[in-house]
Amino acid sequence: MNITKYVKRTLLTISCIVMPWMANAEQIEAIKGANTIDAFEALNLFEKGATFIDVRDQFEFQLGHIRSAVHLDLKRDFNDLYLIETLDKDIPIVIYCNSAHCYRSAVATFLAVAWGYENVHYFKDGYFTWLALDLPVVMGESRDNLARQDSADSPWRVQMKDALEQVQLAKSQGYSQPIAPTVRSLAH
């Protein structure tokens, strides 16, 4: 029995040491060229008018998102950010997904930096942390009183929305657009 207790205790000790390390290994902590921020830093940028980009899919975005966020699904629309020629590359951009375990915001942040955006913030903790802290969100079709007053949007957010509308219009009219570099092409 002493051997069994020893083995159990050793396995428990190893698992207590290894499990937290393995959980952290799944998270991408930082992206070179971007600032990794927490929810409080994200709120500060939100209050200053930074553009928040939600890279989740349409269903997730419709269930709820950070108020005033621009939706650019990583798999479908995010390349539009590359196609914008009229946007100041120094506007503050905060990129987020669901949580620290969601790789999409890390990939999108990497691409934005690679495409020349200079003021990119990686909100690693994402939407669920923002929601848990009861910060401004839009959920489904409901909107809070402040969200109904969209006229108070920052110049940066308006500039981003206008530029994205121009890209969407050009795409719908069949204008040929340059192909955005991908993670794979940038890695080579």
Side-chain angles (χ1 to χ4, degrees):
M1 288 282 197
N2 279 342
I3 293 176
T4 306
K5 284 183 179 179
Y6 176 76
V7 169
K8 284 182 180 179
R9 188 175 295 157
T10 303
L11 288 175
L12 181 63
T13 303
I14 290 171
S15 66
C16 287
I17 293 170
V18 172
M19 292 305 279
W21 175 80
M22 288 175 62
N24 286 335
E26 295 176 12
Q27 299 176 13
I28 298 173
E29 295 296 323
I31 307 296
K32 185 176 181 181
N35 299 318
T36 300
I37 59 173
D38 63 21
F40 300 104
E41 292 166 309
L43 177 60
N44 185 30
L45 287 164
F46 177 84
E47 290 171 345
K48 290 180 179 178
T51 300
F52 278 64
I53 299 177
D54 188 319
V55 296
R56 299 174 303 155
D57 65 34
Q58 185 69 27
F59 178 75
E60 291 170 305
F61 183 79
Q62 286 177 336
L63 285 176
H65 57 273
I66 294 173
R67 187 190 314 136
S68 301
V70 174
H71 181 234
L72 292 176
D73 182 341
L74 180 65
K75 294 179 183 176
R76 198 184 68 216
D77 303 317
F78 191 75
N79 285 349
D80 290 354
L81 192 63
Y82 175 76
L83 301 175
I84 298 172
E85 296 174 356
T86 59
L87 189 64
D88 179 7
K89 299 279 186 177
D90 195 37
I91 69 166
I93 297 173
V94 178
I95 299 174
Y96 75 93
C97 190
N98 283 328
S99 69
H101 295 282
C102 179
Y103 72 92
R104 292 173 285 183
S105 56
V107 170
T109 301
F110 171 81
L111 288 171
V113 168
W115 295 340
Y117 288 89
E118 300 167 3
N119 197 354
V120 181
H121 303 273
Y122 170 46
F123 180 26
K124 179 184 73 150
D125 298 330
Y127 175 71
F128 293 148
T129 299
W130 186 272
L131 183 64
L133 293 171
D134 199 27
L135 298 175
V137 298
V138 174
M139 299 185 80
E141 296 298 317
S142 68
R143 292 174 170 239
D144 59 26
N145 288 331
L146 291 175
R148 287 189 189 106
Q149 301 170 357
D150 263 345
S151 61
D153 243 349
S154 77
W156 292 319
R157 292 179 186 142
V158 171
Q159 183 184 9
M160 174 68 80
K161 289 176 183 175
D162 289 347
L164 286 169
E165 285 174 7
Q166 290 174 3
V167 168
Q168 291 295 329
L169 179 63
K171 285 169 58 176
S172 70
Q173 294 176 348
Y175 290 113
S176 63
Q177 300 287 334
I179 297 172
T182 62
V183 172
R184 182 171 293 182
S185 69
L186 291 168
H188 293 295

